[in-house]
Amino acid sequence: MEYLKLLGIVIIVVGFALKWDTTAVVVVSAIVTALFSGMSVMELLNTLGTAFMTNRPVSLFFLTLPMIGLAERYGLKEVAVNGIRKLKKMTPSRILNLYLAVRELGGVFGISLSGQVQFVRPLITPMVTAAAEVRRKLTPKDIDLIKGRAAAVDNFGNFFAQNLFVASGSVLLISSTMESLKYTVTPIQVVTRSIPVALVTLVIVYIYNVLFDRRFKATKGAA
Amino acid sequence: MVDNLLIVLYALIGILMAVAGTEAFKAKDNPTRYGTGTFWWLLALIFALGNFMPHWLIGAMIIVIGALALFKQIQVGKLPQIDDEKAEAAAKQFGWRIFLPSIVMAVVSICVAQFTALGGQVGIGIGAITALLLVIVMTKAPAKMVYTDTQRMVRSVGAPGILPQLLATLGAVFTAAGVGDLTAKLIAGILPAGNHLVGVVLYCVAMALFTMIMGNAFAAFAVITAAIGIPFVIAQGGEPATVAAIGMTAGYCGTLLTPMAANFNSLPVALQEMEDPMGVIKQQAPIAIILLVVQIALMYFLAF
């Protein structure tokens, strides 16, 4: 039954979808795949151990943690917050676009703050709401849209720029997985190939945010 | 030379993990402190001494880690906190200079990778160490604080921190088991391999769809690249680095569309007390779809 070894894929898909413990799901999937492909227990242990050892580069990002921890203690987050706070009296789209640029630039230098908790909720959403309120009275629906948009912009900047840093988990994962699949792909190559997508995201989301401003201009005359 | 340097770097990671393990054992308020401590110490041994251990033993240790996770014995617990007032004062003192170590880390890593024979992996290590020394010199942080923040950061990463490496490992197991060959054979029965555009569309859309189902692009990447990316795009002449890099970001379009990615799409709803539980995803959907199409085009034109 050759197809039984595809059970490992089923376990991964179902396990992640049902929110089982991710570490356990991955290890179980590896065991099931190996055993159904006809490996003995000893071959399974050897394959697993060898694969884990050759994929150690993925975890090199651990080396960056002590520095980031210290920088956080000495005000990394506060400096960023103070900088963004200076952007008062701007249109909603300007605040959103500047935050997007800050988030993408952070990605280039491997600074990944937990944006939703540290920036969107306490800072970006209130500032965008204030900027929109200057233009017209906001309905509860408007405010909900602003919250959603601020969170979305954080995700855009976070996702599509994180591959611009050579030591980010995603870049190392791509490089190492390709090595496992017998193709040599260096982290630097992944970074250079990710530049077009990061730039396109910047442009498209910029336009998307500028269009968002219209929503708050439209009814001004009607009031 | 490079291999020896890498052994040193992995040993340093092992020490970081041993520090986290020791502190996790000491955290009496964590009901799972023995499991969590064991988890970090097993990893510490693999990283520090793995080169001197038989591989079956490492495989067995990973299965123990899997079992600890299965029985919910790995938890972060309470961590030392940052003093907000002191951080605010430090922010006034250092200003934008506090970003300097991060910038130095990125620049040094890239320079070592580009201009020396040491390669990218050693570059990351040298960059990280240089940046750590710089931040210590800048802030004059006492050794005890370096230790505290190291264990705080490593422990806060927790089990998800090792997930990328485990997923890459799973990819290697899939390859060894011939999963990619089999799925390629299955899909080839439905769709012909050989057409570049069909291959690119299939790979990018599958990355997005599987990420939506699983809620995790990293997991989808290991599976879908082996099963579809390699046979349908790279084996047809697509340049591996371009295909892999864009494949991953195509997966992120799926992350933008799924409530399964709770950290990104549900957390902000809860944090901001939004009325519409799908409010974040609705704002993301137009961009996700546009970017997916753009990435299909980029992969098609840049990889071939």
Side-chain angles (χ1 to χ4, degrees), chain A residues 45-55, chain B residues 55-56 58-59:
Chain A
L45 293 179
N46 262 318
T47 308
L48 205 55
T50 308
F52 195 74
M53 285 295 283
T54 53
N55 282 303
Chain B
H55 284 173
W56 63 262
I58 295 169

Side-chain angles (χ1 to χ4, degrees), chain B residues 75-96:
Chain B
Q75 270 153 38
V76 174
K78 275 205 193 98
L79 296 175
Q81 293 295 313
I82 289 179
D83 183 334
D84 284 340
E85 277 174 29
K86 282 189 184 154
E88 195 63 60
K92 290 218 172 66
Q93 186 192 345
F94 294 109
W96 291 101

Side-chain angles (χ1 to χ4, degrees), chain A residues 17 19 59 121 125 149 208, chain B residues 149 165 260 271-272 283:
Chain A
K19 304 264 179 245
S59 293
R121 158 86 219 226
T125 296
R149 176 60 66 97
Y208 188 51
Chain B
D149 279 323
Q165 188 178 347
M260 298 303 303
L271 268 178
Q272 306 190 90
Q283 289 293 317

